[in-house]
Amino acid sequence: PQVVERCVAAAGYSVGEFAALVFAGALGFAEALYAVKVRAEAMQKASEAVPSGMLSVVGRREANYKFACLEARKHCESLGIENPVCTVSNYLFPDSRVIAGHLQALEFLQENARKYYFKRTKMLPVSGAFHTRLMEPAVEPLAEVLKSIEIQKPLLCVYSNVDGKKYMHSKHIQKLLVKQVVSPVLWEQTMHSVYERKQGTEFPYTYEVGPGNQLGAILKQCNLKAWKQYKHVDALEDEEAADT
């Protein structure tokens, strides 16, 4: 309870941003859950329209992700795909990105990984190219539901995936939650914003709440000093302990 009371900032990765906003008092839990349901269904529908996906990439220092995506798009055009999509959709930590778009583009990047100085590539088990313009059909349904929900100014700082900066007011939240669906997740940039402080200032305690500790692993790569004050809280383990 003391941790919750003293919390100064929150952030959530992709759909986790809704959880961060509920925690900060900006969204009601039931309304946020409904918005997430509408968002998920609309994104799934958009995914089914085009064979697409997401590719996790760990690159060398020389890796040029934009150039690799450009060449992958040209490859798609040579196959007769009009207006192909291949772009960075998630900035994770230095030298790590998720690239999303048409499946043919991602397959091309995997086949030519060495040429683009990619050390490791792995297709993610997702159904579509989230956080790219292939998700545009999901924008309107989410925008409509967010208009019908009461959004408050957060009680503490919440950082947006879209620009890595703090949300300012309710209209700002409404606008950027919609934009987030088709915009890359700037998680690495968000980590820099959250932990930016004067030299010599102590880093705060950081808690990752939920299944898995992927965000902790990313934090370790972005800011080792901040990670030393990191703890993972698995809510499911607490529930299981209460049941036994």
Side-chain angles (χ1 to χ4, degrees):
Q2 297 95 316
V3 169
V4 174
E5 283 166 25
R6 289 203 298 264
C7 186
V8 293
Y13 186 96
S14 189
V15 71
E17 203 161 276
F18 285 86
L21 287 163
V22 169
F23 176 77
L27 294 174
F29 177 72
E31 289 88 347
L33 208 56
Y34 177 61
V36 166
K37 177 179 181 287
V38 170
R39 178 185 183 274
E41 288 169 351
M43 288 172 79
Q44 181 59 34
K45 199 173 176 184
S47 299
E48 288 163 5
V50 179
S52 58
M54 302 180 85
L55 182 72
S56 175
V57 177
V58 176
R60 299 186 190 282
R61 286 288 161 88
E62 310 94 307
N64 185 329
Y65 302 95
K66 283 186 179 177
F67 177 67
C69 289
L70 174 66
E71 294 220 320
R73 290 196 298 273
K74 284 182 179 174
H75 168 73
C76 286
E77 285 169 356
S78 75
L79 299 176
I81 297 169
E82 286 183 27
N83 209 8
V85 172
C86 182
T87 185
V88 174
S89 63
N90 303 90
Y91 291 81
L92 301 178
F93 53 86
D95 306 319
S96 180
R97 308 278 186 273
V98 175
I99 293 173
H102 283 80
L103 276 182
Q104 296 91 331
L106 304 183
E107 286 161 4
F108 172 84
L109 290 177
Q110 280 194 298
E111 287 162 16
N112 294 278
R114 188 174 288 181
K115 177 186 175 183
Y116 300 117
Y117 301 101
F118 294 167
K119 284 195 287 189
R120 211 164 57 241
T121 62
K122 183 186 176 186
M123 286 296 292
L124 298 180
V126 295
S127 57
F130 305 141
H131 303 291
T132 72
R133 62 178 170 79
L134 287 176
M135 290 294 114
E136 276 174 3
V139 165
E140 196 54 41
L142 180 60
E144 285 302 309
V145 76
L146 288 173
K147 279 179 196 168
S148 69
I149 290 173
E150 191 179 349
I151 303 174
Q152 308 283 347
K153 187 179 176 182
L155 300 172
L156 49 102
C157 296
V158 180
Y159 290 80
S160 166
N161 287 181
V162 173
D163 58 11
K165 296 174 182 173
K166 298 170 191 172
Y167 279 116
M168 304 307 291
H169 48 75
S170 58
K171 284 282 181 208
H172 193 211
I173 293 169
Q174 186 182 323
K175 181 184 172 185
L176 291 193
L177 280 181
V178 173
K179 197 175 178 184
Q180 190 229 58
V181 172
V182 290
S183 302
V185 173
L186 304 187
W187 192 256
E188 182 185 342
Q189 294 86 331
T190 301
M191 291 298 91
H192 293 319
S193 295
V194 170
Y195 297 105
E196 189 177 17
R197 58 213 345 98
K198 287 177 184 172
Q199 205 167 356
T201 310
E202 278 192 25
F203 283 100
Y205 284 95
T206 300
Y207 297 87
E208 180 177 1
V209 184
N213 55 3
Q214 294 93 330
L215 297 182
I218 292 172
L219 177 60
K220 189 176 182 181
Q221 299 291 336
C222 286
N223 191 324
L224 186 60
K225 284 184 179 177
W227 175 78
K228 286 176 179 172
Q229 306 273 52
Y230 160 89
K231 289 182 182 178
H232 175 245
V233 180
D234 192 332
L236 293 176
E237 277 182 15
D238 291 348
E239 283 180 18
E240 284 165 10
D243 290 341
T244 52

